[in-house]
Amino acid sequence: MRSSLTRACLVALLAVGCQAAMGAELPAPIPVRDFFVNPPISRPTLSDDGNTYALIRSQGDLQAIFSVSVATGEWVPLAKVDDPETRLAWIEWANSKRLFISAQARDRNVVGVRSRTTRLFGVDSDGKNFSMLGRHWPLFGQGQLSVAYQDRIVHWTPADPQTVLIELWPPNEDSPSVMRMDVDTGRLARAQPRTAGIRNWYADAAGHIRAGDRAAGTSYRLYARIDPDADLELVMERPLFGQRGPEFAGFHADPALLYVLAPHEGRDALFEFDIRTRALGKLVFAHPEVDVTGVYREAGPESRVVGVRYTVDRPEIHFFDPADAQEHRRLAAAFQQEFGVPMQHERISRSHDGVRQLIEVSSEIQPPVYYFFDRSRNYLARILEQRPGIKAAALSPTRRVNYQARDGMQIPAYLTLPKGHAARNLPLIVDVHGGPWTRDRIEWDPEVQVLANRGFAVLQVNFRGSAGFGYRHLEAGYRQWGRKIQDDITDGVRWAIEQGIADADRIGIMGSSYGGYATLVGLTKTPELYRAGAAYAAVTDIEFLLSDDKWYDWGADWHETMIGGERGDKSRLREDSPLRLVDAIRAPVLLGHGTDDQRVHVRQSQRMAEALRKARKQYEYLEFPNEHHGFLLEANRVKWYETLVAFFQRNLEPRSPATQP
C-alpha cells in the first residue's frame, strides 16, 4: 500500500466549523444521506498531558486529521487521506506530543480472502515529523513478504513515553512476537519472542507482558506468569467447543491473579483466577439475567481494569470502586437533565493523570455527542457533535418487548414505533441482526431510525442463538440455521400482527450477513408473510459457505459445532439454503454485496441473483467494487440505503382494492 497520508492545510474543512451546529430542527423526513454519510467528526482522543485532542474530520470520503488546543480551541491540520480506498482505522496519542494514525487499504497480495492491510503513521501535534513508522520494519516493502498488519498496539507504556509495545507478525509464521517500537522513528527492539503458538499477547498496567492465549483448532490455551522476567507457563487448557470458559479477561491488581470470564448459573460471569494454583477463585461479578461481556478498562494508556461490562437492554458498567460508580451516576444525571431522556455515556479518552477526560454520550434518538470533563474543576462542556444535522425530536424511541415462541421459549426483542403515528396497523420491517451469535440492543442505530423516520415500525429480534442472554438461549440456536432461529423471527412478526401493531399485508424483512440469509429464508419458507425483502452480504448456500473453511481460522470444527452438517448428511444444508428454494419466492428482492467481502464471498449473491433471473422473479442486485463485509466508502453506503428505503416505500405501500390478494 502506498503512503496515502500527507500533511495538509484543509481550509475547506475548517470552514465547516469546529463547534456543534445548533440550527433549527430539520423537517421530516430526514434525508437518507444524513444518516449514512461519514460523520463530520469522529474518534476524538486526548493527549497524555490533556492539553490537546485530535480528531478525524470527514467531508465525503476525504478524511483529515486535526489537533485542537483545549485552552484556545485552535485547530491545526496534521494529515489527510488522498486515496478514497484508503480509510483511517483509528488515531491515538503515543504521548503528549506524538499522534499515531492507522490506515487500512485493500491487500493486493493475498489469495482467496479479500483482506485488508494496515500501515501505521506518526505525526507531531504541530503537524511536523510525519512518517510511516513501519518503513524500517524487517520484511517491509518486499512484495508478498511484507507484514500485513502494522497497527496492533499491545501497550502504550506510559512510563516510557518514547516507546510502545507493538505486535510483529511476519508472513508464513503462525504467531506474533512483541516489539518495543520508538514512537518517532518506528525502529524495533524485541520485547517478547514468538512463543508456543500464542496469538494474542497481553501486558499489565505497568506494561509488562505477563499473559498470552490462543483459541485455535479444538482447544483454548492460556499462558501466564507472575514475574515478568520468569518463563511463561501453560496455566489453562480446555476444549474450544462444548465447554464454556474460563477465558482471559484482564489483569488483577494482585500480580498472582487474573480476571477471567467463566460460567456461573448458566451465564458468563467475571472471576478471579489464581496463576499459582491454576484454579478459579472468587466470583467478582455476575448478573442474574445476562452475560458479562467483558471488563471495563479505564480510558487512557494504562488501561487498568476498573469495572465490568454487561447489557440488559442498554450497555451498562458495574464499577469496582464506589467512588467511580458515584461519579458515573452523577454524570449520567447531568446528561439526562440536559437531554431529557436516559443517555449512555462512556469515557473514551483521558490524560495520563486521569484529570482531563473526553466522554461520548448517545442514545437511540441521539447520535454521539462529545464532552470535555475536567475532574479537578468539576467542569463539563460539550465540544463536538457527530451528526449535528440530525435532531432527537424527529426520531423514535425504542422499547423492549418479549414474546413467546411456538415451543414456549421467551424471545427478547426491540420495537421502534414511528413518531407521530398511532401504534395500529403499521407497515413493519423486521431487521435481523448478523452473526447469528451477536445481539441487538437499544443504542444509536441509523438503520432503525431512517426506517422509523419514514413511518415504518421496526422489530429487532434476539432469536435463540443470539449472544448475551445466557448459554441456554445461545446454544438453543446451534445447528438451527433456517429452522428454529427462523421460527423465532416468524413468531415475532406474527406477534406484532396479533398485537394489532403491524399490518399483516405490509411486512418487510431485511438484514446483512446472517441477517441477509434469514431474510432470504423468510422469503422462501414463509413467502405468504412478506411483501418485500432486502439482503446485503447474504449467505445463500450454506454448503458453499462451509467450502470456504480453508480460508478462515475457525475452520470446520467451529462450523460443525455452530452450523452442523459438514461431516454428516449434507441434505439438511441444502434444504436450508435459499439458493435452492428460489421458486418459492413471491415478493420482490433487493440484493447487495461487496466484491472484496472477506467473510461471505460475493459469489453467494451473484449466484442468487442469477437464480432469481432464471426463475423470472422480481429482484434488484447492487454490487459494490472493492467493498468488504460492510461499507468503507460513503457513496456506496448512501447508495445502498437510499435504494433500500425507496425499495420498502415502493413495495410496502397499501394495496388498492383491485390488487388485494
Side-chain angles (χ1 to χ4, degrees):
M1 182 181 76
R2 66 188 179 88
S3 173
S4 59
L5 296 178
T6 58
R7 284 271 294 114
C9 181
L10 301 174
V11 178
L13 285 182
L14 279 171
V16 179
C18 306
Q19 297 299 320
M22 301 300 292
E25 180 179 342
L26 293 174
I30 300 170
V32 174
R33 67 176 291 106
D34 286 5
F35 287 96
F36 296 104
V37 293
N38 293 324
I41 295 294
S42 60
R43 296 188 178 274
T45 178
L46 197 62
S47 62
D48 285 8
D49 60 12
N51 293 329
T52 309
Y53 61 89
L55 53 82
I56 298 173
R57 185 78 166 147
S58 298
Q59 192 173 59
D61 284 320
L62 171 65
Q63 293 179 293
I65 301 167
F66 293 86
S67 65
V68 184
S69 168
V70 170
T72 67
E74 179 186 4
W75 286 44
V76 176
L78 303 182
K80 71 172 183 177
V81 178
D82 55 21
D83 177 2
E85 291 189 13
T86 298
R87 311 309 299 155
L88 297 177
W90 53 261
I91 59 174
E92 188 63 60
W93 293 93
N95 51 41
S96 296
K97 174 187 175 184
R98 189 76 166 156
L99 184 74
F100 278 7
I101 305 164
S102 169
Q104 61 170 261
R106 185 181 182 186
D107 189 344
R108 303 182 186 278
N109 293 323
V110 298
V111 178
V113 178
R114 306 293 188 182
S115 64
R116 297 181 68 78
T117 185
T118 61
R119 295 292 181 259
L120 190 63
F121 300 83
V123 64
D124 290 349
S125 58
D126 58 3
K128 297 178 181 178
N129 300 322
F130 180 88
S131 63
M132 180 185 287
L133 295 171
R135 189 176 299 279
H136 300 295
W137 289 22
L139 303 177
F140 178 81
Q142 299 179 29
Q144 295 187 12
L145 294 179
S146 64
V147 176
Y149 302 104
Q150 300 182 3
D151 65 343
R152 296 180 174 178
I153 304 296
V154 177
H155 199 273
W156 293 98
T157 62
D160 180 8
Q162 189 57 35
T163 69
V164 298
L165 296 178
I166 194 165
E167 179 184 289
L168 176 68
W169 196 329
N172 304 320
E173 294 188 6
D174 67 351
S175 58
S177 57
V178 180
M179 311 296 284
R180 188 172 297 276
M181 184 179 74
D182 185 279
V183 301
D184 291 324
T185 67
R187 296 193 182 279
L188 303 177
R190 192 173 303 280
Q192 172 63 53
R194 187 168 61 93
T195 305
I198 292 174
R199 292 194 173 187
N200 303 293
W201 289 105
Y202 307 106
D204 62 17
H208 299 135
I209 300 166
R210 294 202 298 109
D213 65 7
R214 175 173 182 158
T218 59
S219 66
Y220 172 82
R221 295 180 179 181
L222 175 64
Y223 298 81
R225 56 191 171 201
I226 299 172
D227 182 347
D229 294 324
D231 292 334
L232 284 163
E233 296 183 7
L234 179 64
V235 297
M236 181 196 308
E237 185 172 14
R238 62 170 176 80
L240 189 57
F241 304 106
Q243 177 179 322
R244 308 294 306 184
E247 183 173 336
F248 177 82
F251 289 100
H252 196 283
D254 182 344
L257 302 176
L258 303 173
Y259 290 118
V260 297
L261 292 178
H264 177 73
E265 298 180 351
R267 287 172 291 275
D268 279 337
L270 191 71
F271 285 84
E272 293 177 352
F273 180 86
D274 193 312
I275 297 174
R276 294 162 299 194
T277 63
R278 303 181 183 182
L280 209 60
K282 182 180 73 175
L283 174 65
V284 178
F285 179 81
H287 194 277
E289 300 176 51
V290 295
D291 295 315
V292 168
T293 54
V295 296
Y296 175 69
R297 292 179 172 86
E298 186 175 47
E302 292 183 355
S303 296
R304 292 187 306 113
V305 174
V306 295
V308 178
R309 294 181 182 272
Y310 65 95
T311 297
V312 179
D313 295 315
R314 292 177 169 85
E316 299 182 56
I317 300 168
H318 168 79
F319 288 93
F320 299 154
D321 188 332
D324 288 340
Q326 182 180 15
E327 184 177 71
H328 190 77
R329 288 192 297 268
R330 188 162 51 85
L331 287 168
F335 295 131
Q336 181 166 347
Q337 181 177 4
E338 178 174 353
F339 289 93
V341 295
M343 304 293 291
Q344 174 194 348
H345 75 275
E346 182 170 343
R347 303 157 207 239
I348 57 172
S349 185
R350 71 175 182 91
S351 58
H352 179 54
D353 60 12
V355 172
R356 293 182 166 189
Q357 303 179 351
L358 296 182
I359 303 175
E360 182 179 286
V361 182
S362 66
S363 75
E364 74 269 30
I365 60 171
Q366 176 60 59
V369 180
Y370 300 102
Y371 285 77
F372 176 79
F373 178 47
D374 188 318
R375 302 170 88 176
S376 65
R377 297 186 292 142
N378 199 29
Y379 174 76
L380 183 67
R382 185 189 298 205
I383 56 171
L384 303 164
E385 290 191 45
Q386 195 180 89
R387 296 185 184 275
I390 295 180
K391 304 302 181 183
L395 304 180
S396 302
T398 299
R399 64 184 174 92
R400 165 79 170 261
V401 297
N402 295 282
Y403 62 88
Q404 186 170 289
R406 64 192 65 182
D407 63 358
M409 178 171 278
Q410 288 294 313
I411 305 298
Y414 299 110
L415 181 65
T416 304
L417 299 176
K419 193 166 188 176
H421 295 256
R424 300 292 299 175
N425 294 322
L426 293 167
L428 179 138
I429 298 171
V430 56
D431 187 357
V432 187
H433 69 68
W437 305 286
T438 58
R439 63 162 291 177
D440 282 316
R441 58 189 189 178
I442 300 177
E443 61 185 347
W444 168 245
D445 188 335
E447 190 171 86
V448 171
Q449 290 298 332
V450 75
L451 294 171
N453 185 244
R454 263 77 184 159
F456 296 108
V458 182
L459 182 67
Q460 299 168 277
V461 176
N462 281 312
F463 44 77
R464 72 192 68 202
S466 300
F469 297 95
Y471 303 153
R472 178 175 176 270
H473 194 83
L474 176 69
E475 294 172 359
Y478 286 2
R479 305 190 180 194
Q480 293 299 321
W481 281 43
R483 301 205 167 193
K484 289 184 178 180
I485 289 178
Q486 199 69 31
D487 289 345
D488 292 345
I489 298 167
T490 301
D491 292 345
V493 174
R494 289 178 174 156
W495 169 86
I497 295 170
E498 291 166 2
Q499 296 294 310
I501 297 167
D503 180 347
D505 191 46
R506 292 195 291 162
I507 306 295
I509 184 170
M510 62 177 282
S512 301
S513 193
Y514 181 86
Y517 164 81
T519 292
L520 298 174
V521 172
L523 296 178
T524 55
K525 291 198 172 184
T526 52
E528 75 286 351
L529 194 60
Y530 300 108
R531 283 262 308 272
Y536 185 83
V539 175
T540 66
D541 185 336
I542 306 175
E543 193 173 6
F544 181 48
L545 175 74
L546 298 186
S547 73
D548 282 344
D549 273 347
K550 60 183 176 293
W551 301 116
Y552 303 111
D553 279 348
W554 52 73
D557 293 301
W558 186 88
H559 273 148
E560 180 65 21
T561 299
M562 306 297 193
I563 302 173
E566 172 69 3
R567 298 171 183 162
D569 180 12
K570 294 186 179 181
S571 62
R572 183 179 69 80
L573 302 183
R574 296 167 185 151
E575 290 171 5
D576 297 325
S577 292
L579 181 66
R580 303 172 189 271
L581 304 170
V582 167
D583 288 341
I585 293 177
R586 303 178 193 173
V589 182
L590 173 63
L591 298 174
H593 217 120
T595 60
D596 282 5
D597 193 327
Q598 77 279 26
R599 283 291 174 262
V600 179
H601 200 285
V602 67
R603 288 199 300 271
Q604 293 271 357
S605 288
Q606 290 172 340
R607 294 167 69 191
M608 188 71 187
E610 179 65 12
L612 289 166
R613 185 190 66 80
K614 289 182 177 179
R616 299 179 181 272
K617 302 296 181 179
Q618 185 178 347
Y619 79 98
E620 183 176 357
Y621 176 45
L622 300 181
E623 192 166 284
F624 298 97
N626 302 329
E627 285 289 10
H628 68 153
H629 198 59
F631 290 103
L632 292 169
L633 298 180
E634 177 184 283
N636 290 338
R637 189 185 315 111
V638 170
K639 180 179 180 179
W640 170 252
Y641 281 104
E642 286 182 337
T643 304
L644 179 143
V645 168
F647 171 80
F648 281 121
Q649 287 180 312
R650 182 171 64 249
N651 289 295
L652 298 186
E653 279 288 308
R655 297 190 218 241
S656 65
T659 60
Q660 291 287 341

